[in-house]
Amino acid sequence: MAEVIIEKDKCKGCQLCIFYCPTKKLVLSSKLNKKGIKFAKPLDNINCIGCGFCFTVCPDSCVEVYGKK
Amino acid sequence: MGKNFLHPKSLKKVDTHYCPGCGHGIIHRIIAGIVDELGIREKTIAVTPVGCAVIAYDYWDFNCCEAPHGRGLAVATGIKRCLPQNIVFTYQGDGDLASIGIAETIHAANRAEAISCIFVNNGCYGMTGGQLAPTTLIGQKTITTPFGRDPNKGEGWPLKLTEILASLEGVCFAARTSLAGPKEILNTQTQIKKAFLAQIEKKKFSIVEVLSPCPTVWQKEPTKAIEFIQQEVIKTFPVGIIKEL
Ligand SMILES: Cc1ncc(C[n+]2csc(CCOP(=O)(O)OP(=O)(O)O)c2C)c(N)n1
């Protein structure tokens, strides 16, 4: 299973990654980041398929996906 | 082992000044990824525009040169003629390329300068606050056409510059793509790569027009702006390869 890492302080909360995640494993955090914006974060019990859609659509290049076996 | 999707080396790890959901950030990442993939980081020279992407040189980690508003292709011509071994591309908005710089654009293409041009079509002048651009859709509201663009009031029709350029002898590759969804973004990546390869192999002009969202000026949420491209913009600007020699 893959792992999604979101740099929370770079996120501007556009929610494109949340919209395009085919397994709906990303959510908007209830906390604020350094910019004062609610950032996107992966759910705790992550079961990600590693499609990389979140990486592809992120306008702020704050998402990285590590495809594990 | 699954695939890794990592931050491109040619893109600096800094915050951008773009609004949330802006297409410029996606295109910056695509271009940086292609430069890494082709291994041309030392040879690439980008000509950055005036417009929202004016400080793209702060985001890309390769050689960049700033051009005055609209004069990107004139500056790029000089660079490419002095340094023919380098890969030169311009990155321009619709106000920059299709409005103030249309003379430079058409003549650079007609002279078959071996330059790739990335044309970001967001249907408005983003940086100056959302005025009418030549590519604004009919009926689309901007701050200078508050009732929607109306050709009968002398405001003209959307200008299809990529089709005009494709009709010139000097152009070897012309395509239009969009950023409306992951599939389209991956297609944009494929077409921009083809444009770079066309510059290297065919030594002629290549252009890729990218339909990009501007959520702030369109006054839409980022996801709604993407829907607007899918439903409205591609009716006027059909995506696809227009010319490939
Ligand atoms: C010679 C000159 N004329 C006008 C301007 C003002 N100006 C700055 S940006 C801009 C419009 C840019 O729009 P576009 O190229 O569509 O890029 P966007 O901001 O939408 O990405 C204008 C008219 C300028 N900087 N220089």
mmCIF file with all atom_site columns, all heavy atoms in Angstrom, chain B residues 149-172:
data_model
loop_
_atom_site.group_PDB
_atom_site.id
_atom_site.type_symbol
_atom_site.label_atom_id
_atom_site.label_alt_id
_atom_site.label_comp_id
_atom_site.label_asym_id
_atom_site.label_entity_id
_atom_site.label_seq_id
_atom_site.pdbx_PDB_ins_code
_atom_site.Cartn_x
_atom_site.Cartn_y
_atom_site.Cartn_z
_atom_site.occupancy
_atom_site.B_iso_or_equiv
_atom_site.pdbx_formal_charge
_atom_site.auth_seq_id
_atom_site.auth_comp_id
_atom_site.auth_asym_id
_atom_site.auth_atom_id
_atom_site.pdbx_PDB_model_num
ATOM 1   N N   . ARG B 1 149 ? -19.123 39.039 -22.473 1.00 0.00 ? 149 ARG B N   1
ATOM 2   C CA  . ARG B 1 149 ? -18.553 39.447 -23.758 1.00 0.00 ? 149 ARG B CA  1
ATOM 3   C C   . ARG B 1 149 ? -19.612 39.306 -24.854 1.00 0.00 ? 149 ARG B C   1
ATOM 4   O O   . ARG B 1 149 ? -20.234 38.264 -24.986 1.00 0.00 ? 149 ARG B O   1
ATOM 5   C CB  . ARG B 1 149 ? -17.363 38.554 -24.101 1.00 0.00 ? 149 ARG B CB  1
ATOM 6   C CG  . ARG B 1 149 ? -16.642 38.986 -25.354 1.00 0.00 ? 149 ARG B CG  1
ATOM 7   C CD  . ARG B 1 149 ? -15.452 38.099 -25.641 1.00 0.00 ? 149 ARG B CD  1
ATOM 8   N NE  . ARG B 1 149 ? -14.599 38.731 -26.632 1.00 0.00 ? 149 ARG B NE  1
ATOM 9   C CZ  . ARG B 1 149 ? -13.398 38.293 -26.965 1.00 0.00 ? 149 ARG B CZ  1
ATOM 10  N NH1 . ARG B 1 149 ? -12.897 37.232 -26.415 1.00 0.00 ? 149 ARG B NH1 1
ATOM 11  N NH2 . ARG B 1 149 ? -12.678 38.922 -27.870 1.00 0.00 ? 149 ARG B NH2 1
ATOM 12  N N   . ASP B 1 150 ? -19.806 40.387 -25.624 1.00 0.00 ? 150 ASP B N   1
ATOM 13  C CA  . ASP B 1 150 ? -20.824 40.382 -26.670 1.00 0.00 ? 150 ASP B CA  1
ATOM 14  C C   . ASP B 1 150 ? -20.191 40.853 -27.978 1.00 0.00 ? 150 ASP B C   1
ATOM 15  O O   . ASP B 1 150 ? -19.863 42.029 -28.129 1.00 0.00 ? 150 ASP B O   1
ATOM 16  C CB  . ASP B 1 150 ? -21.969 41.322 -26.251 1.00 0.00 ? 150 ASP B CB  1
ATOM 17  C CG  . ASP B 1 150 ? -23.124 41.275 -27.231 1.00 0.00 ? 150 ASP B CG  1
ATOM 18  O OD1 . ASP B 1 150 ? -22.991 40.578 -28.266 1.00 0.00 ? 150 ASP B OD1 1
ATOM 19  O OD2 . ASP B 1 150 ? -24.140 41.940 -26.970 1.00 0.00 ? 150 ASP B OD2 1
ATOM 20  N N   . PRO B 1 151 ? -20.033 39.965 -28.971 1.00 0.00 ? 151 PRO B N   1
ATOM 21  C CA  . PRO B 1 151 ? -19.411 40.360 -30.242 1.00 0.00 ? 151 PRO B CA  1
ATOM 22  C C   . PRO B 1 151 ? -20.192 41.466 -30.945 1.00 0.00 ? 151 PRO B C   1
ATOM 23  O O   . PRO B 1 151 ? -19.611 42.283 -31.659 1.00 0.00 ? 151 PRO B O   1
ATOM 24  C CB  . PRO B 1 151 ? -19.432 39.079 -31.072 1.00 0.00 ? 151 PRO B CB  1
ATOM 25  C CG  . PRO B 1 151 ? -19.680 37.977 -30.123 1.00 0.00 ? 151 PRO B CG  1
ATOM 26  C CD  . PRO B 1 151 ? -20.398 38.547 -28.953 1.00 0.00 ? 151 PRO B CD  1
ATOM 27  N N   . ASN B 1 152 ? -21.507 41.541 -30.706 1.00 0.00 ? 152 ASN B N   1
ATOM 28  C CA  . ASN B 1 152 ? -22.314 42.570 -31.368 1.00 0.00 ? 152 ASN B CA  1
ATOM 29  C C   . ASN B 1 152 ? -22.061 43.963 -30.809 1.00 0.00 ? 152 ASN B C   1
ATOM 30  O O   . ASN B 1 152 ? -22.479 44.957 -31.386 1.00 0.00 ? 152 ASN B O   1
ATOM 31  C CB  . ASN B 1 152 ? -23.803 42.229 -31.239 1.00 0.00 ? 152 ASN B CB  1
ATOM 32  C CG  . ASN B 1 152 ? -24.101 40.913 -31.897 1.00 0.00 ? 152 ASN B CG  1
ATOM 33  O OD1 . ASN B 1 152 ? -23.494 40.572 -32.921 1.00 0.00 ? 152 ASN B OD1 1
ATOM 34  N ND2 . ASN B 1 152 ? -24.990 40.139 -31.303 1.00 0.00 ? 152 ASN B ND2 1
ATOM 35  N N   . LYS B 1 153 ? -21.400 44.024 -29.646 1.00 0.00 ? 153 LYS B N   1
ATOM 36  C CA  . LYS B 1 153 ? -21.061 45.339 -29.080 1.00 0.00 ? 153 LYS B CA  1
ATOM 37  C C   . LYS B 1 153 ? -19.621 45.703 -29.410 1.00 0.00 ? 153 LYS B C   1
ATOM 38  O O   . LYS B 1 153 ? -19.025 46.563 -28.752 1.00 0.00 ? 153 LYS B O   1
ATOM 39  C CB  . LYS B 1 153 ? -21.237 45.302 -27.561 1.00 0.00 ? 153 LYS B CB  1
ATOM 40  C CG  . LYS B 1 153 ? -22.679 45.339 -27.118 1.00 0.00 ? 153 LYS B CG  1
ATOM 41  C CD  . LYS B 1 153 ? -22.703 45.614 -25.611 1.00 0.00 ? 153 LYS B CD  1
ATOM 42  C CE  . LYS B 1 153 ? -23.977 45.149 -24.969 1.00 0.00 ? 153 LYS B CE  1
ATOM 43  N NZ  . LYS B 1 153 ? -23.712 44.687 -23.590 1.00 0.00 ? 153 LYS B NZ  1
ATOM 44  N N   . GLY B 1 154 ? -19.043 45.007 -30.344 1.00 0.00 ? 154 GLY B N   1
ATOM 45  C CA  . GLY B 1 154 ? -17.679 45.337 -30.740 1.00 0.00 ? 154 GLY B CA  1
ATOM 46  C C   . GLY B 1 154 ? -16.623 44.749 -29.827 1.00 0.00 ? 154 GLY B C   1
ATOM 47  O O   . GLY B 1 154 ? -15.505 45.255 -29.755 1.00 0.00 ? 154 GLY B O   1
ATOM 48  N N   . GLU B 1 155 ? -16.979 43.700 -29.106 1.00 0.00 ? 155 GLU B N   1
ATOM 49  C CA  . GLU B 1 155 ? -15.990 43.104 -28.196 1.00 0.00 ? 155 GLU B CA  1
ATOM 50  C C   . GLU B 1 155 ? -15.290 41.890 -28.810 1.00 0.00 ? 155 GLU B C   1
ATOM 51  O O   . GLU B 1 155 ? -14.400 41.316 -28.192 1.00 0.00 ? 155 GLU B O   1
ATOM 52  C CB  . GLU B 1 155 ? -16.667 42.745 -26.861 1.00 0.00 ? 155 GLU B CB  1
ATOM 53  C CG  . GLU B 1 155 ? -16.956 43.998 -26.032 1.00 0.00 ? 155 GLU B CG  1
ATOM 54  C CD  . GLU B 1 155 ? -18.095 43.844 -25.045 1.00 0.00 ? 155 GLU B CD  1
ATOM 55  O OE1 . GLU B 1 155 ? -18.661 42.749 -24.935 1.00 0.00 ? 155 GLU B OE1 1
ATOM 56  O OE2 . GLU B 1 155 ? -18.426 44.844 -24.403 1.00 0.00 ? 155 GLU B OE2 1
ATOM 57  N N   . GLY B 1 156 ? -15.707 41.506 -29.992 1.00 0.00 ? 156 GLY B N   1
ATOM 58  C CA  . GLY B 1 156 ? -14.997 40.454 -30.717 1.00 0.00 ? 156 GLY B CA  1
ATOM 59  C C   . GLY B 1 156 ? -15.317 39.047 -30.260 1.00 0.00 ? 156 GLY B C   1
ATOM 60  O O   . GLY B 1 156 ? -16.026 38.837 -29.277 1.00 0.00 ? 156 GLY B O   1
ATOM 61  N N   . TRP B 1 157 ? -14.757 38.091 -30.996 1.00 0.00 ? 157 TRP B N   1
ATOM 62  C CA  . TRP B 1 157 ? -14.969 36.676 -30.696 1.00 0.00 ? 157 TRP B CA  1
ATOM 63  C C   . TRP B 1 157 ? -13.709 36.100 -30.046 1.00 0.00 ? 157 TRP B C   1
ATOM 64  O O   . TRP B 1 157 ? -12.629 36.673 -30.209 1.00 0.00 ? 157 TRP B O   1
ATOM 65  C CB  . TRP B 1 157 ? -15.270 35.923 -31.992 1.00 0.00 ? 157 TRP B CB  1
ATOM 66  C CG  . TRP B 1 157 ? -16.650 36.112 -32.511 1.00 0.00 ? 157 TRP B CG  1
ATOM 67  C CD1 . TRP B 1 157 ? -17.726 35.293 -32.283 1.00 0.00 ? 157 TRP B CD1 1
ATOM 68  C CD2 . TRP B 1 157 ? -17.128 37.162 -33.351 1.00 0.00 ? 157 TRP B CD2 1
ATOM 69  N NE1 . TRP B 1 157 ? -18.840 35.783 -32.921 1.00 0.00 ? 157 TRP B NE1 1
ATOM 70  C CE2 . TRP B 1 157 ? -18.516 36.927 -33.579 1.00 0.00 ? 157 TRP B CE2 1
ATOM 71  C CE3 . TRP B 1 157 ? -16.550 38.299 -33.916 1.00 0.00 ? 157 TRP B CE3 1
ATOM 72  C CZ2 . TRP B 1 157 ? -19.298 37.770 -34.360 1.00 0.00 ? 157 TRP B CZ2 1
ATOM 73  C CZ3 . TRP B 1 157 ? -17.340 39.136 -34.691 1.00 0.00 ? 157 TRP B CZ3 1
ATOM 74  C CH2 . TRP B 1 157 ? -18.694 38.875 -34.908 1.00 0.00 ? 157 TRP B CH2 1
ATOM 75  N N   . PRO B 1 158 ? -13.832 34.953 -29.379 1.00 0.00 ? 158 PRO B N   1
ATOM 76  C CA  . PRO B 1 158 ? -12.627 34.323 -28.809 1.00 0.00 ? 158 PRO B CA  1
ATOM 77  C C   . PRO B 1 158 ? -11.612 34.016 -29.906 1.00 0.00 ? 158 PRO B C   1
ATOM 78  O O   . PRO B 1 158 ? -11.966 33.456 -30.952 1.00 0.00 ? 158 PRO B O   1
ATOM 79  C CB  . PRO B 1 158 ? -13.166 33.037 -28.181 1.00 0.00 ? 158 PRO B CB  1
ATOM 80  C CG  . PRO B 1 158 ? -14.615 33.277 -27.966 1.00 0.00 ? 158 PRO B CG  1
ATOM 81  C CD  . PRO B 1 158 ? -15.060 34.215 -29.036 1.00 0.00 ? 158 PRO B CD  1
ATOM 82  N N   . LEU B 1 159 ? -10.365 34.396 -29.684 1.00 0.00 ? 159 LEU B N   1
ATOM 83  C CA  . LEU B 1 159 ? -9.314  34.255 -30.688 1.00 0.00 ? 159 LEU B CA  1
ATOM 84  C C   . LEU B 1 159 ? -8.658  32.881 -30.563 1.00 0.00 ? 159 LEU B C   1
ATOM 85  O O   . LEU B 1 159 ? -8.131  32.545 -29.504 1.00 0.00 ? 159 LEU B O   1
ATOM 86  C CB  . LEU B 1 159 ? -8.278  35.362 -30.474 1.00 0.00 ? 159 LEU B CB  1
ATOM 87  C CG  . LEU B 1 159 ? -7.171  35.486 -31.503 1.00 0.00 ? 159 LEU B CG  1
ATOM 88  C CD1 . LEU B 1 159 ? -7.713  35.994 -32.809 1.00 0.00 ? 159 LEU B CD1 1
ATOM 89  C CD2 . LEU B 1 159 ? -6.093  36.428 -30.991 1.00 0.00 ? 159 LEU B CD2 1
ATOM 90  N N   . LYS B 1 160 ? -8.697  32.113 -31.650 1.00 0.00 ? 160 LYS B N   1
ATOM 91  C CA  . LYS B 1 160 ? -8.102  30.773 -31.609 1.00 0.00 ? 160 LYS B CA  1
ATOM 92  C C   . LYS B 1 160 ? -6.700  30.843 -32.186 1.00 0.00 ? 160 LYS B C   1
ATOM 93  O O   . LYS B 1 160 ? -6.459  30.500 -33.342 1.00 0.00 ? 160 LYS B O   1
ATOM 94  C CB  . LYS B 1 160 ? -8.983  29.796 -32.383 1.00 0.00 ? 160 LYS B CB  1
ATOM 95  C CG  . LYS B 1 160 ? -10.338 29.660 -31.736 1.00 0.00 ? 160 LYS B CG  1
ATOM 96  C CD  . LYS B 1 160 ? -11.204 28.659 -32.431 1.00 0.00 ? 160 LYS B CD  1
ATOM 97  C CE  . LYS B 1 160 ? -12.552 28.627 -31.751 1.00 0.00 ? 160 LYS B CE  1
ATOM 98  N NZ  . LYS B 1 160 ? -13.534 27.845 -32.462 1.00 0.00 ? 160 LYS B NZ  1
ATOM 99  N N   . LEU B 1 161 ? -5.778  31.299 -31.370 1.00 0.00 ? 161 LEU B N   1
ATOM 100 C CA  . LEU B 1 161 ? -4.430  31.578 -31.861 1.00 0.00 ? 161 LEU B CA  1
ATOM 101 C C   . LEU B 1 161 ? -3.686  30.312 -32.273 1.00 0.00 ? 161 LEU B C   1
ATOM 102 O O   . LEU B 1 161 ? -2.915  30.326 -33.229 1.00 0.00 ? 161 LEU B O   1
ATOM 103 C CB  . LEU B 1 161 ? -3.643  32.341 -30.787 1.00 0.00 ? 161 LEU B CB  1
ATOM 104 C CG  . LEU B 1 161 ? -2.339  32.909 -31.302 1.00 0.00 ? 161 LEU B CG  1
ATOM 105 C CD1 . LEU B 1 161 ? -2.586  33.994 -32.314 1.00 0.00 ? 161 LEU B CD1 1
ATOM 106 C CD2 . LEU B 1 161 ? -1.494  33.439 -30.183 1.00 0.00 ? 161 LEU B CD2 1
ATOM 107 N N   . THR B 1 162 ? -3.923  29.217 -31.561 1.00 0.00 ? 162 THR B N   1
ATOM 108 C CA  . THR B 1 162 ? -3.187  27.998 -31.885 1.00 0.00 ? 162 THR B CA  1
ATOM 109 C C   . THR B 1 162 ? -3.543  27.509 -33.285 1.00 0.00 ? 162 THR B C   1
ATOM 110 O O   . THR B 1 162 ? -2.667  27.078 -34.041 1.00 0.00 ? 162 THR B O   1
ATOM 111 C CB  . THR B 1 162 ? -3.475  26.925 -30.825 1.00 0.00 ? 162 THR B CB  1
ATOM 112 O OG1 . THR B 1 162 ? -3.256  27.507 -29.546 1.00 0.00 ? 162 THR B OG1 1
ATOM 113 C CG2 . THR B 1 162 ? -2.562  25.733 -30.963 1.00 0.00 ? 162 THR B CG2 1
ATOM 114 N N   . GLU B 1 163 ? -4.818  27.626 -33.658 1.00 0.00 ? 163 GLU B N   1
ATOM 115 C CA  . GLU B 1 163 ? -5.227  27.252 -35.017 1.00 0.00 ? 163 GLU B CA  1
ATOM 116 C C   . GLU B 1 163 ? -4.576  28.183 -36.050 1.00 0.00 ? 163 GLU B C   1
ATOM 117 O O   . GLU B 1 163 ? -4.159  27.730 -37.112 1.00 0.00 ? 163 GLU B O   1
ATOM 118 C CB  . GLU B 1 163 ? -6.750  27.315 -35.165 1.00 0.00 ? 163 GLU B CB  1
ATOM 119 C CG  . GLU B 1 163 ? -7.485  26.054 -34.733 1.00 0.00 ? 163 GLU B CG  1
ATOM 120 C CD  . GLU B 1 163 ? -7.848  26.063 -33.252 1.00 0.00 ? 163 GLU B CD  1
ATOM 121 O OE1 . GLU B 1 163 ? -7.309  26.903 -32.510 1.00 0.00 ? 163 GLU B OE1 1
ATOM 122 O OE2 . GLU B 1 163 ? -8.653  25.220 -32.849 1.00 0.00 ? 163 GLU B OE2 1
ATOM 123 N N   . ILE B 1 164 ? -4.510  29.473 -35.718 1.00 0.00 ? 164 ILE B N   1
ATOM 124 C CA  . ILE B 1 164 ? -3.893  30.429 -36.648 1.00 0.00 ? 164 ILE B CA  1
ATOM 125 C C   . ILE B 1 164 ? -2.422  30.063 -36.847 1.00 0.00 ? 164 ILE B C   1
ATOM 126 O O   . ILE B 1 164 ? -1.926  29.989 -37.973 1.00 0.00 ? 164 ILE B O   1
ATOM 127 C CB  . ILE B 1 164 ? -4.019  31.875 -36.105 1.00 0.00 ? 164 ILE B CB  1
ATOM 128 C CG1 . ILE B 1 164 ? -5.488  32.282 -36.013 1.00 0.00 ? 164 ILE B CG1 1
ATOM 129 C CG2 . ILE B 1 164 ? -3.245  32.865 -36.971 1.00 0.00 ? 164 ILE B CG2 1
ATOM 130 C CD1 . ILE B 1 164 ? -5.730  33.621 -35.347 1.00 0.00 ? 164 ILE B CD1 1
ATOM 131 N N   . LEU B 1 165 ? -1.725  29.773 -35.736 1.00 0.00 ? 165 LEU B N   1
ATOM 132 C CA  . LEU B 1 165 ? -0.303  29.442 -35.837 1.00 0.00 ? 165 LEU B CA  1
ATOM 133 C C   . LEU B 1 165 ? -0.098  28.116 -36.573 1.00 0.00 ? 165 LEU B C   1
ATOM 134 O O   . LEU B 1 165 ? 0.868   27.963 -37.321 1.00 0.00 ? 165 LEU B O   1
ATOM 135 C CB  . LEU B 1 165 ? 0.331   29.374 -34.438 1.00 0.00 ? 165 LEU B CB  1
ATOM 136 C CG  . LEU B 1 165 ? 0.425   30.699 -33.683 1.00 0.00 ? 165 LEU B CG  1
ATOM 137 C CD1 . LEU B 1 165 ? 1.059   30.482 -32.334 1.00 0.00 ? 165 LEU B CD1 1
ATOM 138 C CD2 . LEU B 1 165 ? 1.228   31.723 -34.464 1.00 0.00 ? 165 LEU B CD2 1
ATOM 139 N N   . ALA B 1 166 ? -1.029  27.173 -36.377 1.00 0.00 ? 166 ALA B N   1
ATOM 140 C CA  . ALA B 1 166 ? -0.875  25.861 -37.019 1.00 0.00 ? 166 ALA B CA  1
ATOM 141 C C   . ALA B 1 166 ? -0.906  25.974 -38.532 1.00 0.00 ? 166 ALA B C   1
ATOM 142 O O   . ALA B 1 166 ? -0.378  25.117 -39.243 1.00 0.00 ? 166 ALA B O   1
ATOM 143 C CB  . ALA B 1 166 ? -1.964  24.909 -36.534 1.00 0.00 ? 166 ALA B CB  1
ATOM 144 N N   . SER B 1 167 ? -1.528  27.060 -39.046 1.00 0.00 ? 167 SER B N   1
ATOM 145 C CA  . SER B 1 167 ? -1.608  27.212 -40.496 1.00 0.00 ? 167 SER B CA  1
ATOM 146 C C   . SER B 1 167 ? -0.299  27.729 -41.101 1.00 0.00 ? 167 SER B C   1
ATOM 147 O O   . SER B 1 167 ? -0.171  27.812 -42.318 1.00 0.00 ? 167 SER B O   1
ATOM 148 C CB  . SER B 1 167 ? -2.753  28.164 -40.852 1.00 0.00 ? 167 SER B CB  1
ATOM 149 O OG  . SER B 1 167 ? -2.428  29.466 -40.408 1.00 0.00 ? 167 SER B OG  1
ATOM 150 N N   . LEU B 1 168 ? 0.677   28.089 -40.252 1.00 0.00 ? 168 LEU B N   1
ATOM 151 C CA  . LEU B 1 168 ? 1.929   28.639 -40.781 1.00 0.00 ? 168 LEU B CA  1
ATOM 152 C C   . LEU B 1 168 ? 2.930   27.520 -41.080 1.00 0.00 ? 168 LEU B C   1
ATOM 153 O O   . LEU B 1 168 ? 2.986   26.517 -40.374 1.00 0.00 ? 168 LEU B O   1
ATOM 154 C CB  . LEU B 1 168 ? 2.550   29.608 -39.758 1.00 0.00 ? 168 LEU B CB  1
ATOM 155 C CG  . LEU B 1 168 ? 1.691   30.808 -39.350 1.00 0.00 ? 168 LEU B CG  1
ATOM 156 C CD1 . LEU B 1 168 ? 2.369   31.593 -38.250 1.00 0.00 ? 168 LEU B CD1 1
ATOM 157 C CD2 . LEU B 1 168 ? 1.409   31.700 -40.529 1.00 0.00 ? 168 LEU B CD2 1
ATOM 158 N N   . GLU B 1 169 ? 3.751   27.753 -42.108 1.00 0.00 ? 169 GLU B N   1
ATOM 159 C CA  . GLU B 1 169 ? 4.761   26.759 -42.524 1.00 0.00 ? 169 GLU B CA  1
ATOM 160 C C   . GLU B 1 169 ? 5.789   26.489 -41.428 1.00 0.00 ? 169 GLU B C   1
ATOM 161 O O   . GLU B 1 169 ? 6.304   25.386 -41.303 1.00 0.00 ? 169 GLU B O   1
ATOM 162 C CB  . GLU B 1 169 ? 5.509   27.272 -43.756 1.00 0.00 ? 169 GLU B CB  1
ATOM 163 C CG  . GLU B 1 169 ? 4.693   27.327 -45.023 1.00 0.00 ? 169 GLU B CG  1
ATOM 164 C CD  . GLU B 1 169 ? 4.373   25.956 -45.565 1.00 0.00 ? 169 GLU B CD  1
ATOM 165 O OE1 . GLU B 1 169 ? 5.228   25.063 -45.441 1.00 0.00 ? 169 GLU B OE1 1
ATOM 166 O OE2 . GLU B 1 169 ? 3.259   25.785 -46.081 1.00 0.00 ? 169 GLU B OE2 1
ATOM 167 N N   . GLY B 1 170 ? 6.107   27.523 -40.659 1.00 0.00 ? 170 GLY B N   1
ATOM 168 C CA  . GLY B 1 170 ? 7.196   27.406 -39.692 1.00 0.00 ? 170 GLY B CA  1
ATOM 169 C C   . GLY B 1 170 ? 6.870   26.588 -38.462 1.00 0.00 ? 170 GLY B C   1
ATOM 170 O O   . GLY B 1 170 ? 7.739   26.343 -37.632 1.00 0.00 ? 170 GLY B O   1
ATOM 171 N N   . VAL B 1 171 ? 5.613   26.182 -38.315 1.00 0.00 ? 171 VAL B N   1
ATOM 172 C CA  . VAL B 1 171 ? 5.196   25.485 -37.091 1.00 0.00 ? 171 VAL B CA  1
ATOM 173 C C   . VAL B 1 171 ? 5.192   23.983 -37.336 1.00 0.00 ? 171 VAL B C   1
ATOM 174 O O   . VAL B 1 171 ? 4.590   23.512 -38.306 1.00 0.00 ? 171 VAL B O   1
ATOM 175 C CB  . VAL B 1 171 ? 3.795   25.968 -36.653 1.00 0.00 ? 171 VAL B CB  1
ATOM 176 C CG1 . VAL B 1 171 ? 3.321   25.231 -35.422 1.00 0.00 ? 171 VAL B CG1 1
ATOM 177 C CG2 . VAL B 1 171 ? 3.825   27.458 -36.393 1.00 0.00 ? 171 VAL B CG2 1
ATOM 178 N N   . CYS B 1 172 ? 5.904   23.223 -36.480 1.00 0.00 ? 172 CYS B N   1
ATOM 179 C CA  . CYS B 1 172 ? 5.926   21.772 -36.681 1.00 0.00 ? 172 CYS B CA  1
ATOM 180 C C   . CYS B 1 172 ? 5.032   21.044 -35.700 1.00 0.00 ? 172 CYS B C   1
ATOM 181 O O   . CYS B 1 172 ? 4.694   19.892 -35.909 1.00 0.00 ? 172 CYS B O   1
ATOM 182 C CB  . CYS B 1 172 ? 7.349   21.230 -36.616 1.00 0.00 ? 172 CYS B CB  1
ATOM 183 S SG  . CYS B 1 172 ? 8.076   21.317 -34.993 1.00 0.00 ? 172 CYS B SG  1
#
